[in-house]
Amino acid sequence: MATGQKLMRAVRVFEFGGPEVLKLQSNVAVPVPKDHQVLIKVHACGVNPVETYIRSGTYSRKPALPYTPGTDVAGVIESVGDSVSAFKKGDRVFCSSTVSGGYAEFALAADHTVYTLPETLDFKQGAALAIPYFTACRALFHSARVRAGESVLVHGASGGVGLATCQVARAHGLKVLGTAGSEEGKKLVLQNGAHEVFDHKEVNYIDKIKKAVGDEGVDVVIEMLANVNLSNDLKLLSRGGRIIVVGCRGTIEINPRDTMAKETSIIGVSLFSSTKEELQHFAGIVQTGIEKGWVKPVIGSEYPLEKVVQAHEDIIHSSGKTGKMILLL
C-alpha cells in the first residue's frame, strides 16, 4: 500500500509570525497512524486563541517548524494503528488534541485523546466540544475546586470557552454571572446558564457586579482576558476567592496587597497540563452533559480552510465574538 503517498490539503507554518504565515498547501502527505494512534478524516476543526499565540512564536510551547496548527477536530475514523481497540474505521469522533495538526483534511491523534461523538451532535458541534468544555471543567473543578452553591463570574462569557463554562457551572449548582460585549453576546450568555449578565463595555459595569454580589463578593472568577481585567477581578472576590486565568494577551500591573486582606488566589490554567486520567474525567462530565442535554455547543463564525488567515485575524480582533469559531473541511 502506498499509503504514505496519499496527499491532502493542510495549512502549514514555516516561520513564526502574523496570520499571513499560515499557508494552505495541497500536496501534504497524509500521515499514517502508528501504535496507539488513529487517523481522522476531519470534517470540522476548532479555532482557538492559543493557536494564534503559538503561531506568533510568543507562546511557551513552540512546535518544530514546519507544522500544521489545530487542536480539536471532529470527523470520522479513517484508519487505526496497532494496539487500537476502542475505535474502528467509520466511527464518528472528536478529539482534544492532534499529533499532526487539525487544520487539514486528515489528522493523527493519540487514541487516549479521542472520544465517540454521539449522533445527537453534528461535526460542527463536535469541533466545539473538547477545548471549550475540557478547559471549563479544568478551570472549575481542578483549578478552582468549586462547590455547589458558590458563585462564579465568567469574565468574557460569550466565546466558546465562556459559554461552555456557563453551561457546566450552572449544571453543577453554581450561581453564574457572566459578562459580554454585545447585545447578542449578553443574550447568548443568559440562554446558556448565566443567572445574570453584565456588559463589560459599560464604564460602571464593575460597580453593577459589586451591587449584584453584595458585600460577600464572588467566590470564583473565570478570566478570559487577564491583561485587562485582573486588577478589577481582585476587588470583586469574596474571602478565599479564586481567580482562574484562562486567557491573557499581555502584561498588567496589579497591587498584590489586593490579595492579602481576603487571602485570595490567582491560579493559571492550561488544558495541555492535563493527565490522561484528568482528560478521561473531563470527557465523562461532557458525555453526561450531552446525554442530559445541558452540553449545547454554540457555533460562532465558520470559515473554509482557504480563509484560515481571516479566521486568525478575526479571533483576536473581532470584539463581541460569540460562540466557537470553526474551520470547515
Side-chain angles (χ1 to χ4, degrees), residues 45 66 69 92 117 131 168 191 201 239 256 312 314 322 326:
C45 178
R92 300 171 84 250
L117 179 64
I131 297 294
V168 175
Q191 287 169 348
K201 287 186 175 169
R239 182 168 294 283
H312 267 226
D314 290 353
T322 54
I326 54 170

Side-chain angles (χ1 to χ4, degrees), residues 13-311:
V13 174
F14 294 91
E15 60 179 324
F16 297 114
E20 70 281 354
V21 303
L22 298 164
K23 306 294 183 190
L24 179 57
Q25 300 194 309
S26 54
N27 60 346
V28 180
V30 174
V32 179
K34 298 183 181 129
D35 212 22
H36 291 293
Q37 290 182 339
V38 300
L39 182 68
I40 301 169
K41 181 171 179 22
V42 179
H43 286 252
C45 178
V47 180
N48 303 288
V50 70
E51 287 144 24
T52 70
Y53 312 151
I54 293 169
R55 182 214 69 227
S56 70
T58 60
Y59 196 65
S60 55
R61 281 170 53 245
K62 277 196 180 74
L65 296 168
Y67 78 97
T68 295
T71 313
D72 44 349
V73 307
V76 175
I77 297 283
E78 178 73 12
S79 59
V80 300
D82 295 336
S83 312
V84 175
S85 56
F87 301 101
K88 63 184 187 306
K89 183 177 168 67
D91 286 349
R92 300 171 84 250
V93 294
F94 69 98
C95 76
S96 55
S97 84
T98 62
V99 175
S100 60
Y103 297 6
E105 290 178 314
F106 293 91
L108 274 186
D111 60 357
H112 74 271
T113 66
V114 179
Y115 316 90
T116 300
L117 179 64
E119 293 289 344
T120 49
L121 299 181
D122 61 26
F123 291 116
K124 293 179 192 178
Q125 293 170 305
L129 282 175
I131 297 294
Y133 286 89
F134 288 16
T135 300
C137 289
R138 188 166 184 84
L140 290 167
F141 305 123
H142 177 272
S143 302
R145 303 191 188 286
V146 293
R147 298 179 296 278
E150 287 192 310
S151 57
V152 58
L153 168 67
V154 186
H155 213 158
S158 62
V161 176
L163 291 169
T165 304
C166 290
Q167 291 175 13
V168 175
R170 179 68 177 252
H172 287 81
L174 283 101
K175 181 185 180 186
V176 185
L177 311 172
T179 75
S182 67
E183 284 306 313
E184 182 199 359
K186 284 164 63 181
K187 193 172 162 189
L188 258 183
V189 171
L190 283 175
Q191 287 169 348
N192 284 278
H195 294 86
E196 289 185 73
V197 67
F198 304 88
D199 186 339
H200 53 218
K201 287 186 175 169
E202 283 184 9
V203 179
N204 63 336
Y205 83 100
I206 292 292
D207 295 329
K208 289 186 176 177
I209 296 174
K210 279 182 180 170
K211 195 173 174 187
V213 297
D215 293 338
E216 283 184 14
V218 68
D219 297 307
V220 175
V221 177
I222 306 293
E223 181 52 67
M224 305 300 167
L225 199 59
N227 55 298
V228 172
N229 301 320
L230 194 58
S231 187
N232 279 328
D233 292 341
L234 284 166
K235 296 174 177 68
L236 290 170
L237 286 178
S238 64
R239 182 168 294 283
R242 296 85 79 197
I243 296 169
I244 311 301
V245 179
V246 172
C248 183
R249 296 181 187 171
T251 57
I252 184 172
E253 188 172 299
I254 62 165
N255 185 347
R257 190 176 288 155
D258 291 339
T259 66
M260 293 163 65
K262 294 180 178 176
E263 296 191 321
T264 54
S265 313
I266 302 168
I267 304 166
V269 64
S270 169
L271 184 59
F272 300 120
S273 301
S274 305
T275 63
K276 286 184 185 181
E277 292 73 24
E278 286 166 346
L279 289 173
Q280 290 299 332
H281 176 58
F282 304 152
I285 294 171
V286 172
Q287 296 284 12
T288 299
I290 294 169
E291 286 162 22
K292 293 192 170 176
W294 56 258
V295 164
K296 293 179 281 201
V298 179
I299 307 305
S301 307
E302 303 172 14
Y303 300 81
L305 209 50
E306 293 79 8
K307 301 274 187 175
V308 64
V309 171
Q310 188 68 50

